[in-house]
Amino acid sequence: MEYVPILVLVLSFVCLLAIGTPVAWSIAMSSFLTLLVSIPFLPAATTVSQRIGTGLDSFALLAIPLFILSGELMNKGGIAHRLIAFAKTLVGALPGGLALINIISAMLMGAIAGSAMAAASAMGSILGPEMEKEGYSREFGAAVNITAATTGLVIPPSNVLIVYSLASGGASIAALFLAGYIPGILTGLFLMIVASVWAKKKGYKVGKRSRLKKVFKTFIDALPSLFMLIVVIGGIVTGIFTATEASAIAVLYSFLLGLFYREISLPKMPRILLDSSTTTAIVMLLIGASMSMSWALSYENIPQEISTGLLALSDNPIVILLVINLLLLFVGIFMDMTPAVLIFTPIFLPVVTALGLDSVHFGIIMVLNLCIGLCTPPVGSVLFVGVGIAKTSIEKVVKPLLPLFIAMVIALFLVTYFPELSLWLPRQFGL
């Protein structure tokens, strides 16, 4: 009987997804069916609905809609153009210059906006046509854009790291934010190396070297956007304000910056508020449904059984981390990042902490791992956005995507087995 809840949970979730049920409803309904194994219909239904509501009752979660609104303001506020111009002066003359510009701009845009989809949308629509005009294949441009967009989910401020903090039961958001910098930049560098080698092999055009005066001018233009990172992260790390308060400051700053750039006006605000509200509703429903599944998992003692099984498999941290990474890579193919973090953190975190791993380090491993899932079908949201903007197909993008995908996996395993890549910065600040 002890394996029945696990079987019900997995089979019902997979079947619901297979028939096209939205992810959030698949999670909630499979949680309900799992509880029916142990308790009657009415208490099971009441518990799931109650957990969806109480799962959202958290002050820390208030940061997510505010960061989403901030990202929407940044996306519409002319930030992308200025970041691209700055990146162009830095790496435009290197092999695969436009691809490198895409990666650096996506890293900056993703970090500022906190959204991989916003970064993929902005960079794809602006740089995609320009890359094609310069002789780059449409599929290569889409592949670069898709993989680069995910780096902003590791480089703070990141909504997913806030979700992980909630799921882990108290990992410091400030420590997680600082821990994301080196892994995020490392992943970006690996993508740049692969893109440069691919571009050189294909003989794509190389741009002209920019003069120092132009580098300085584009830097000054982009500086107000980049300064937001200092304000938000600096305030959180120094303890001046919490992550939730920082998200409100980010909204105000991005709004004023959009007005300063004359890219945002009051008549545009209703559309911006509506778009951010739509995104917030989707994310919050996913979080609420995932919290109900987490409770169902705990009630049926599934995390403890999985933990016992993994620890019985081996007590070697290298082996356990390898197994967890492979499982998360598989999970990322079928599940969106937010529910995956909420559901699998309570399952895997006790295992890794029993082996002496830091919860902050594991948070970066998990988020970096699930970023790869955003680039893979059938649920990879960033993959579909990137392919849609490039007006191409997934089948055509697979070939140039594969080496970039491998670069991300190599970065993941380096971060997994070299904890200092994640923990060095937080330790410098005593976190």
Side-chain angles (χ1 to χ4, degrees):
M1 269 300 280
E2 59 183 14
Y3 296 110
V4 172
I6 299 176
L7 288 172
V8 171
L9 182 75
V10 174
L11 289 174
S12 60
F13 181 67
V14 170
C15 289
L16 286 164
L17 280 180
I19 61 173
T21 309
V23 176
W25 295 114
S26 298
I27 292 169
M29 289 167 71
S30 57
S31 305
F32 168 66
L33 292 170
T34 304
L35 286 175
L36 284 178
V37 173
S38 305
I39 58 179
F41 178 90
L42 190 58
T46 305
T47 300
V48 170
S49 57
Q50 183 188 50
R51 290 295 154 181
I52 290 173
T54 56
L56 299 175
D57 186 16
S58 167
F59 180 70
L61 283 180
L62 186 59
I64 292 176
L66 290 171
F67 272 130
I68 289 171
L69 176 56
S70 168
E72 197 67 37
L73 288 165
M74 283 281 180
N75 202 22
K76 300 287 197 302
I79 306 303
H81 291 281
R82 288 162 177 83
L83 294 177
I84 287 170
F86 176 50
K88 201 168 188 176
T89 61
L90 293 178
V91 295
L94 297 175
L98 281 175
L100 305 186
I101 291 163
N102 194 322
I103 294 166
I104 291 177
S105 302
M107 287 167 70
L108 293 171
M109 183 70 184
I112 292 168
S115 167
M117 290 177 72
S121 177
M123 298 306 136
S125 54
I126 297 167
L127 275 172
E130 194 172 338
M131 289 179 77
E132 204 172 341
K133 201 193 310 179
E134 290 294 320
Y136 289 75
S137 77
R138 184 179 294 186
E139 289 71 33
F140 174 67
V144 168
N145 184 38
I146 290 160
T147 50
T150 62
T151 57
L153 296 175
V154 187
I155 302 170
S158 167
N159 289 337
V160 182
L161 290 175
I162 295 171
V163 170
Y164 173 79
S165 172
L166 178 75
S168 67
S172 165
I173 293 175
L176 285 164
F177 276 10
L178 283 174
Y181 275 112
I182 294 174
I185 293 168
L186 181 71
T187 306
L189 286 172
F190 275 36
L191 291 174
M192 289 171 72
I193 291 166
V194 171
S196 191
V197 170
W198 182 281
K200 196 167 185 179
K201 183 182 173 184
K202 296 289 182 181
Y204 294 139
K205 281 184 183 178
V206 177
K208 293 178 181 177
R209 184 168 292 179
S210 299
R211 293 181 179 179
L212 195 60
K213 185 178 178 182
K214 190 174 181 181
V215 176
F216 181 73
K217 184 183 181 302
T218 56
F219 171 69
I220 294 299
D221 285 344
L223 188 59
S225 307
L226 298 171
F227 188 67
M228 182 180 141
L229 291 174
I230 299 170
V231 172
V232 171
I233 306 303
I236 294 171
V237 170
T238 54
I240 296 172
F241 40 72
T242 65
T244 305
E245 291 162 347
S247 64
I249 291 166
V251 169
L252 179 62
Y253 186 92
S254 52
F255 175 68
L256 294 174
L257 193 59
L259 292 177
F260 173 74
Y261 284 151
R262 296 183 180 178
E263 299 276 353
I264 290 177
S265 59
L266 290 178
K268 290 182 179 178
M269 284 306 296
R271 169 51 60 184
I272 291 171
L273 290 169
L274 182 63
D275 289 346
S276 59
S277 299
T278 303
T279 306
T280 298
I282 294 166
V283 172
M284 287 304 187
L285 182 58
L286 278 169
I287 290 172
S290 301
M291 295 300 270
S292 74
M293 182 177 275
S294 294
W295 193 90
L297 288 167
S298 299
Y299 182 81
E300 300 291 351
N301 290 320
I302 293 172
Q304 291 87 337
E305 289 173 18
I306 294 174
S307 298
T308 305
L310 282 172
L311 291 171
L313 182 70
S314 174
D315 59 357
N316 187 330
I318 294 173
V319 175
I320 293 296
L321 283 172
L322 178 64
V323 171
I324 289 174
N325 267 322
L326 292 172
L327 286 170
L328 286 174
L329 284 169
F330 179 74
V331 164
I333 294 172
F334 299 101
M335 191 178 287
D336 202 55
M337 182 177 275
T338 300
V341 168
L342 284 164
I343 291 163
F344 289 95
T345 298
I347 292 174
F348 293 136
L349 188 58
V351 179
V352 296
T353 49
L355 296 171
L357 268 78
D358 190 283
S359 61
V360 170
H361 175 217
F362 181 68
I364 301 301
I365 293 171
M366 176 171 261
V367 171
L368 190 57
N369 190 310
L370 293 171
C371 280
I372 298 170
L374 296 176
C375 308
T376 56
V379 185
S381 51
V382 179
L383 173 67
F384 291 114
V385 169
V387 166
I389 288 169
K391 296 183 174 66
T392 183
S393 65
I394 292 171
E395 293 80 10
K396 291 178 181 177
V397 170
V398 167
K399 188 178 178 182
L401 188 64
L402 201 57
L404 295 162
F405 185 86
I406 292 167
M408 294 178 76
V409 172
I410 292 169
L412 168 65
F413 280 94
L414 282 174
V415 170
T416 299
Y417 294 114
F418 294 92
E420 283 303 308
L421 290 171
S422 301
L423 300 178
W424 181 77
L425 260 181
R427 284 171 181 168
Q428 299 309 302
F429 287 86
L431 295 170

